[in-house]
Each structure stands twice: as C-alpha cells, then as structure tokens.
Amino acid sequence: MIPTIAQVALPVPLHKTFDYLIGNDMPVVGGRVRVPFGKQYKIGIVTALADQSAFPLTQLKPINAVLDDAPLWAPALYKLLNWASRYYQYPLGDALATVMPGSLRKGKPAHRERERVWQLTEAGKDQPITALTRAPKQARILTMLRSGAMAHSDLLDSDLTAAVIKTAEEKGWINIVQNVRAKPWMPNYRVVEDKPTPNHEQALAVATINASPEFGCYLIEGVTGSGKTEVYLNALEPVLARGQQALILVPEIGLTPQTINRFKRRFNVPVEVMHSGLNDTERLNAWLAARDNEAAIIIGTRSALFAPFKSLGIIIVDEEHDASYKQQDSFRYHARDLAVMRGHEENVPVILGSATPCLESLHNAKTGKYHHLTLSIRAGNAIKAKHGVLDIRGLYLEAGLSAPLIAEMRKHLSDGNQVMLFLNRRGYAPALMCHECGWLAECKRCDAYYTLHQQSNELRCHHCGTQRPIPHQCGQCGSTQLIGVGVGTEQLEAQLATLFPEFKTIRIDRDNTRRKGSLEAYLDAIHNKEYQILIGTQMLAKGHHFPDVTLVALVDVDSALFSNDFRAPERLAQLFVQVAGRAGRASKPGFVLLQTHHPEHALLQSLIHKGYDCFASEALIERQQANLPPYSFFALFRSEANHSEQVEQFLQQVRTILDASPVPDDDCAVMGPAPAPLPRRAGRYRWQLIFQAPNRRMLQQRLSAALPAIRQLPLSKKVRWSLDIEPQDMS
Ligand code: ADP
Ligand code: ZN
Ligand code: ZN
C-alpha cells in the first residue's frame, strides 16, 4: 500500500482523529504535521497512514507541512501514551500535546538548535577558486571550508561577514551540516570512592533490586533517614554501568538542590532536571538530552514521567505517597501508576520509596504484586521521635492551644530548641459570626462561609477567591458584635506573639510562599535559627529536615478523623509519621504531640502505639469492608452549571447510560448523582456521580462503552463536566 491519507490526532477536545491528504512529503506515524483546521493551522501527531478514508477524498484537505522525519516517542512510550489517553478518558491529541515540550507543540524542530555548522556542497567543491579573483571573500570562505566544516561563529571570527556567508549559501556553494551528533554521556561515568557501606537492610534491598535488569516493582518502606536515597544510588550503579539512563520522580516540593547534588556528586554524569518552572528552551533541551542520550539521569516532577529516553534502565518514584503525583485537572493521570506501567512496557525495574507508602501500594506489596523491602534502621544511630496524644476534652484552648501544650512548648523553647505547629487552616478564623444572633458571613457565590483574614483586613472565600472588606455590622440584626469562629494559622501566629513575646514566630503557608524563592529563604532562616516557632500547613512536612525542631504538635487532628473524605485518616497518618521523621537529630530526639477530643479513636490508637504499618493494615481492612480503593476502582463524574436541575438531570442521564450495561451483574456500581461536598461554587451548582468497578479493566471497558453516548447527550454541551479516573480528591 502506498499511503495517501494520514490520520492525525489534534489538540482539540474531541475523541477522534482527522484524515488529511498526504502531499510530496511522507509523514511518519508518531511524528508531527501541520494541518489546516477550521480557519487556522494546528499541529498534530500522525496516528496512522492509510490508503482510504471514510470521507470522500474531495472533502479532505492536504497536510500543510511534515515537521518530523522520525516519531517523537519510541514505541514503548508511544504505547503507554495511547494507553493513558484511553484509561484516563482524555483525547489522544490533547494528551500528546500535553506531554510534549511547549516548543514542539508550537512546531519548533525536535532537535537542538545548536550552532550552525557550514560545509561545502558538491557545487562548492567543484567551483574553481581561481575564477573568484573578483570575489576574494567568496574565495576565502571556499578555501577555508575545503579543509573541513566550520562553525558559523568561527567563520565570523575569521573576518567573514554574515552577508558573505549568505551569498555563498545563495550561490549553492555551502550548506548547513545536518544531524549534529549528540554527545553521549557515557565516557565520563565513574562512582565516587568514599560512599557509605550499606547496612544489611540496604544491602538486601539493593541485591533484590539489582538481581534483574527486567521489570519488577519494588516498594521500599523506610523511615526518614533510613537510607532510601542511598539505596536508589546503589540501584543506579549497574544501570549506569550498562550505559542505560535513569528516571527519578520527586514530589513538587522535593526537587531541592540538595537532592539533585547528591546524584550529581555520586556519579560523574550529566543530570538534567525537569519541572514546571522551566521555560520552553530549557524544557526542550532537557527533553532532547534525555532522548539523545546526553543525560544519564533525569530528575523531575510528575510530568517528567513522559520524558523520552534513548535507553531507559530504571524508574524511581520518591515519596510515592505524595498527592502531587496525580494531576488534578485536564489530563488527570497518576504519575506513580503510569511509572509502574512504563516500567512494565519498557521492561525495567521500578522503585517506589516512602516512609509512609500509600495504601494502594501497600496493598500491592501485601498481595505479592510488588516486592516489599523495609528499611527500619536510621543511619547514624538517630533516635526515633517520641510521641503522645493530648486529650483536650474540656480543656480551655487559647487560639487552639491547650495549657499542657503551651507548657511543653515553653520547655523546649527555653532549652534553645525550635517548635513546629501544624494547622491546615489558613487565615485568622474559618468563619465570622454575630455574637448576638448567630448569623454567619457567607459567600454569596458558594455554599461556604467566608474566612476571616485579619492581616489583609478582609473576608475571603477560599473556594471562589471572592474578597470583601470585613463588615462592621451583622447582616441580620445589625449588631456590631462580630467574632471569629475557630482558629486559623494567622490567629495562632498572633496568639503566639502574646504567649511567647521573647521568641520569633514564622508562618509558612500558601499565602506567603507564592513568590518564587520565598520558601527557600524562609527555610534558610529557620535553619539559621532566626525563628524559634514555626507554624505551617502540610507544606512544611515535605522533604525538609529540621534538626533543631524538638517539638512538633498537630494542633487539630479531629477534622481529619471525621472528614467525609475517606483518604483523610491516611493523609493524617502520613503527616504524623513524616513530621516525626524530620524533626530532631541523634543528640536531640524529637517529640510529636497530637491534640484531639477523641484519644480513643481506633486509627489514632494503632498509629500511635503500633506505628504506620499497623495503622495501614487496619485502614486497609476498613477500606475492604467498605469496598473502597484499593479494593475497588472509582471514576468520578463532576458536573456544574448555573442551574441545579440541569446538572442533576445530566448526571441522571449519565447514570441511565451506565446502568444499561451490556454485562449487567459484573460487580460494578453507580452511586449518585448527589450534590458535591461543596454544592455551589462561584455561583455554579455542583453535582457528582461515582462509578465503581472491581478492577481497572472493567472500569475502562464500561466507561469506554458508555462515553460515546454520554458525549451525545444534549445536556453534555450545556453543563460543564469532567471525568476523573481514580480521583484522589473527591471534593
Ligand atoms: P532517606 O532517603 O531514607 O531519608 P538517606 O539516604 O538520605 O535517607 O540517608 C540519610 C543519611 O544517612 C544521609 O546523610 C546518608 O548519607 C546517610 N546514610 C545512609 N545510609 C548510610 C550507611 N549505610 N552508612 C552511613 N551513612 C548512611
Ligand atoms: Zn446578628
Ligand atoms: Zn465563594
């Protein structure tokens, strides 16, 4: 067959490809083409070549330009991308556009824009120099290039101008050398001599992983400081020695210079970094360095999972429980899950590491799908943090702090140590209430109360972003007695200034770390002990070590214990273990305190007395009894519109389609439609529908069967809706 038609996946929200006529240039499957689409041009990926179309040829438009002469992705990665597009029900053209560097999306060449190197053409070689006496500069350029190709800048350095070079090119005597060869990283590889000798647990883990260069998934469960990174480094050795490359994924906040330097220092090889802060050029360069084997190690956040490799040898996912691995909008993939898929597809080992593995991974380890490797010994004889539960029933609270906690803080502070308080609630108070009649200031656009922000002197809705001045009078009875209800980090900060005027307090949350580099500056100041009391949200628990913090308190754990999000207890347990691991040092063990009204709560008890593993086992039993993930697989339909009836009606129709399954009794269930946990946001009514399946295959099959009909529903064009496969956040 001589193909005449190219099927092209375009970055448009339509679940289909488009046919175009092939011109003189033959496109390649997996390569880019520019095609007319509506009134404009779009860049898409060729998914197949054919010699016929379902449409009359006269209706088809020709390809405008073929941009690649080779596929952008190797077969294994291309297959993974296709699978991910199907599994996460995201259009292939959109998915491929999402994962390619911005400059490729804009049509730039998929090779490094290196310096131009000029060489003689056949015509240039044949051109007699003696015939150029009246063009001495042309004669010079030809003479110089006769002894070999030269870089543009070298020609300029030899007193030739850009105009001269251009004339020679126009005469057809010189052209640019194509395919400048990439410099592979291999020759300089060596391991530094003075690396720590692995302890027996590390040695066992390394031996298990290194036993085979083929696919296997290894869950390393090791407390902070137990030497997980050391195991990763040892697992990299044989990979790099074979000349293969490594992909290391880290959570958004974990990509610190320290981490990167550790990998750079151990092996004398090029390390490239990929994260959302790169500009187009940097991103393309990192992408090319991976693909062309110029980088040996790629360290990156979530989207680095899609980096191309010349020869991938291992994938490592550090802090595998971290929520930032799941993309929360548009292409809602989970980088950890896809990392395992990729490892399988490319037949290389995958390491998942964490002090607090997610329940899904622990389940896979317990059922034998993953090798379970444990590191229990903290390197350097660091002592495990102690912990205790503070029963605050009936106790007077000052900005959320009980007297025993304040006394404990005073003890640690006067010993010259630092104290860290966790409270996951920004602002001064989560609500503003009238003391006379009980009226609460409510956002007009959301079913939510305003948060009181005293520093900026305003009420703010944390759901839609609306801001307004703090009212002086009650909206109902006119009283001026308005009070904040509950405690946020701002209030805690103010209260601490009163309680401990001799110590300096720093608050670290999203409100004051938005500016690039500000978090790093605060962390430095903390390490230099400029502050003694640290107040933080989850952000502080990730990736940072605080050797002078000897007391950590979780100010309010009750909201997590009784949250309607079934993952809240798991997140609380992870926070607890993570902070315990990051505080203190060998000579100064940390102490972790939890304030609660429910000290007898079963999950809290097992977490405190028996540790994360026991907590996880019990939490898994609860999940199994309730048939929740990982014992079932969820897909969440979210829908919102200005009219509540439309949203509900749409999801009702979705339900009808899902219920009309070709295989009726297959253990799938549909729950809802029901109002979302936040039923109205920014003036829009929000509803949800959950589809539940016993396994991924069934989830994928049933949804794929139903979605074409769902997309045909007239209401699907009237309401905003999305589908989140295996959602992490159910709000
Ligand atoms: P994790 O990644 O689990 O937090 P690291 O690999 O960062 O742990 O190790 C914590 C510290 O202990 C590091 O400073 C590391 O160099 C050191 N370390 C790790 N393993 C050993 C070992 N076997 N012998 C001596 N020091 C070690
Ligand atoms: Zn009132
Ligand atoms: Zn609002």
Side-chain angles (χ1 to χ4, degrees):
M1 159 194 106
I2 297 165
T4 48
I5 309 288
Q7 293 167 7
V8 181
L10 291 170
V12 292
L14 293 170
H15 291 256
K16 59 172 190 171
T17 57
F18 299 84
D19 286 0
Y20 286 91
L21 294 172
I22 296 173
N24 289 335
D25 277 356
M26 184 58 66
V28 290
V29 173
R32 290 168 303 158
V33 287
R34 185 168 51 233
V35 294
F37 189 81
K39 288 203 176 72
Q40 38 178 336
Y41 287 102
K42 280 192 183 295
I43 288 170
I45 299 291
V46 176
T47 57
L49 300 175
D51 56 4
Q52 52 193 7
S53 170
F55 298 92
L57 292 187
T58 48
Q59 281 185 18
L60 298 185
K61 292 179 184 163
I63 291 172
N64 173 262
V66 173
L67 301 180
D68 295 308
D69 53 13
L72 286 184
W73 302 279
L77 179 52
Y78 187 62
K79 197 170 156 200
L80 178 82
L81 290 168
N82 275 273
W83 183 88
S85 149
R86 284 196 303 275
Y87 185 68
Y88 292 105
Q89 304 292 349
Y90 195 63
L92 180 62
D94 261 344
L96 295 174
T98 306
V99 305
M100 70 172 89
S103 9
L104 296 187
R105 219 177 298 142
K106 293 173 195 150
K108 297 264 174 64
H111 51 78
R112 207 182 287 266
E113 295 195 53
R114 284 166 227 277
E115 203 188 4
R116 287 165 293 169
V117 174
W118 295 99
Q119 66 183 2
L120 290 180
T121 59
E122 289 307 315
K125 285 178 194 158
D126 293 344
Q127 171 64 36
I129 305 251
T130 44
L132 291 171
T133 43
R134 288 209 273 143
K137 297 250 159 135
Q138 292 298 320
R140 253 201 47 232
I141 197 168
L142 294 191
T143 315
M144 288 173 72
L145 290 179
R146 284 215 170 144
S147 46
M150 280 181 77
H152 193 76
S153 60
D154 290 337
L155 289 175
L156 295 182
D157 283 348
S158 322
D159 268 350
L160 291 164
T161 61
V164 176
I165 300 173
K166 191 148 179 269
T167 309
E169 186 189 15
E170 280 165 4
K171 295 217 183 268
W173 292 335
I174 66 171
N175 63 12
I176 289 177
V177 180
Q178 292 300 319
N179 299 328
V180 189
R181 280 265 298 279
K183 290 191 212 75
W185 58 269
M186 198 40 195
N188 294 328
Y189 166 72
R190 64 174 163 71
V191 186
V192 297
E193 318 263 288
D194 58 339
K195 52 168 197 167
T197 316
N199 64 34
H200 68 272
E201 283 179 336
Q202 287 173 321
L204 181 66
V206 173
T208 310
I209 297 162
N210 290 355
S212 159
E214 302 197 341
F215 172 71
C217 193
Y218 305 88
L219 177 66
I220 304 186
E221 184 175 2
V223 292
T224 316
S226 61
K228 286 184 296 296
T229 313
E230 207 41 56
V231 172
Y232 305 157
L233 288 163
N234 278 287
L236 285 191
E237 271 186 40
V239 173
L240 296 175
R242 284 195 295 272
Q244 291 184 302
Q245 300 162 286
L247 169 61
I248 299 163
L249 296 183
V250 294
E252 249 144 54
I253 209 104
L255 194 62
T256 60
Q258 291 91 307
T259 318
I260 300 160
N261 282 337
R262 242 174 118 183
F263 287 90
K264 278 189 180 160
R265 258 187 283 119
R266 179 67 57 92
F267 311 105
N268 184 35
V269 295
V271 176
E272 284 284 346
V273 178
M274 282 187 185
H275 56 81
S276 54
L278 300 184
N279 66 30
D280 272 4
T281 314
E282 291 169 321
R283 181 174 297 275
L284 179 65
N285 282 344
W287 193 89
L288 292 172
R291 187 196 66 177
D292 298 341
N293 204 25
E294 291 183 324
I297 300 174
I298 297 285
I299 305 182
T301 49
R302 183 175 63 223
S303 65
L305 187 264
F306 300 114
F309 286 90
K310 177 83 183 285
S311 161
L312 184 63
I314 195 165
I315 304 176
I316 296 169
V317 184
D318 192 26
E319 306 288 357
E320 63 90 40
H321 66 280
D322 196 89
S324 74
Y325 285 124
K326 168 85 171 162
Q327 171 125 335
Q328 300 284 8
D329 54 14
S330 48
F331 187 16
R332 296 179 168 81
Y333 64 94
H334 201 305
R336 178 191 59 232
D337 294 346
L338 284 185
V340 177
M341 279 296 289
R342 184 165 185 185
H344 184 259
E345 215 50 71
E346 308 231 11
N347 198 23
V348 299
V350 179
I351 304 181
L352 309 179
S354 174
T356 51
C358 67
L359 295 183
E360 282 82 357
S361 295
L362 279 173
H363 177 63
N364 282 330
K366 284 178 205 291
T367 53
K369 258 178 90 179
Y370 298 171
H371 301 261
H372 198 176
L373 303 165
T374 315
L375 304 180
S376 58
I377 310 157
R378 276 203 184 193
N381 301 322
I383 305 165
K384 239 178 104 181
K386 292 198 199 63
H387 43 242
V389 174
L390 254 177
D391 180 358
I392 54 170
R393 278 176 296 189
L395 294 187
Y396 174 70
L397 301 178
E398 276 183 87
L401 305 174
S402 63
L405 175 57
I406 294 171
E408 193 67 31
M409 288 175 68
R410 197 169 299 273
K411 214 169 77 195
H412 286 261
L413 288 168
S414 47
D415 285 347
N417 295 316
Q418 290 171 321
V419 169
M420 187 151 79
L421 302 175
F422 276 97
L423 184 60
N424 226 356
R425 228 179 284 129
R426 293 177 295 127
Y428 188 85
L432 182 72
M433 186 172 74
C434 169
H435 197 43
E436 296 274 328
C437 76
W439 170 84
L440 286 152
E442 213 172 338
C443 175
K444 287 196 179 57
R445 309 172 68 215
C446 306
D447 283 336
Y449 301 121
Y450 277 118
T451 300
L452 175 61
H453 283 255
Q454 207 136 65
Q455 273 177 3
S456 51
N457 207 11
E458 62 191 0
L459 295 181
R460 237 186 261 169
C461 174
H462 283 192
H463 301 284
C464 70
T466 304
Q467 304 171 1
R468 50 173 286 198
I470 299 173
H472 301 293
Q473 283 188 311
C474 167
Q476 189 167 280
C477 74
S479 157
T480 51
Q481 288 213 49
L482 300 181
I483 51 169
V485 194
V487 179
T489 49
E490 238 183 53
Q491 187 177 157
L492 192 54
E493 185 180 22
Q495 186 64 27
L496 288 166
T498 324
L499 281 170
F500 300 102
E502 66 275 40
F503 297 109
K504 272 181 80 183
T505 300
I506 171 99
R507 174 169 59 90
I508 293 191
D509 56 32
R510 249 188 303 150
D511 286 339
N512 65 358
T513 51
R514 236 161 269 204
R515 215 163 28 83
K516 212 177 159 186
S518 58
L519 177 63
E520 289 71 24
Y522 286 135
L523 292 175
D524 279 347
I526 293 170
H527 282 285
N528 296 333
K529 300 190 80 173
E530 285 169 41
Y531 300 97
Q532 292 77 44
I533 306 174
L534 331 174
I535 304 173
T537 52
Q538 228 103 332
M539 221 173 166
L540 263 189
K542 294 185 184 176
H544 311 289
H545 196 81
F546 299 99
D548 291 308
V549 169
T550 54
L551 176 65
V552 182
L554 309 190
V555 176
D556 170 25
V557 301
D558 294 346
S559 45
L561 290 178
F562 299 98
S563 163
N564 53 16
D565 178 352
F566 70 87
R567 284 197 175 84
E570 178 185 358
R571 302 234 168 85
L572 170 69
Q574 287 165 344
L575 174 71
F576 170 76
V577 176
Q578 295 284 341
V579 296
R582 297 184 196 283
R585 61 174 119 187
S587 54
K588 284 184 187 175
F591 184 39
V592 185
L593 271 178
L594 299 127
Q595 287 198 134
T596 177
H597 290 89
H598 299 272
E600 73 298 333
H601 194 285
L603 289 181
L604 212 50
Q605 284 294 323
S606 62
L607 177 63
I608 294 288
H609 296 297
K610 302 181 208 145
Y612 184 79
D613 248 352
C614 262
F615 158 82
S617 304
E618 282 167 29
L620 274 172
I621 292 170
E622 280 195 1
R623 295 262 187 106
Q624 184 167 27
Q625 284 163 351
N627 197 24
L628 290 167
Y631 299 94
S632 68
F633 294 80
F634 279 13
L636 178 66
F637 285 87
R638 294 188 180 92
S639 172
E640 58 173 59
N642 292 327
H643 303 283
S644 179
E645 314 81 65
Q646 279 190 342
V647 194
E648 186 186 356
Q649 210 185 351
F650 168 67
L651 288 181
Q652 200 61 58
Q653 292 169 357
V654 171
R655 179 176 182 134
T656 308
I657 293 172
L658 286 167
D659 280 340
S661 156
V663 207
D665 54 350
D666 57 4
D667 298 329
C668 292
V670 189
M671 293 171 277
L678 182 68
R680 195 168 56 101
R681 185 171 68 194
R684 294 170 165 276
Y685 293 90
R686 311 166 76 232
W687 286 68
Q688 301 186 335
L689 181 81
I690 295 170
F691 179 71
Q692 188 184 28
N695 54 54
R696 285 190 167 137
R697 192 177 45 80
M698 193 70 83
L699 188 79
Q700 142 103 34
Q701 276 180 3
R702 287 282 305 271
L703 288 173
S704 297
L707 278 163
I710 291 172
R711 292 188 191 111
Q712 292 297 316
L713 292 172
L715 273 176
S716 77
K717 271 120 204 144
K718 296 214 170 98
V719 302
R720 261 196 224 172
W721 66 281
S722 65
L723 175 56
D724 193 349
I725 306 295
E726 298 191 61
Q728 286 293 306
D729 178 4
M730 306 278 280
S731 63

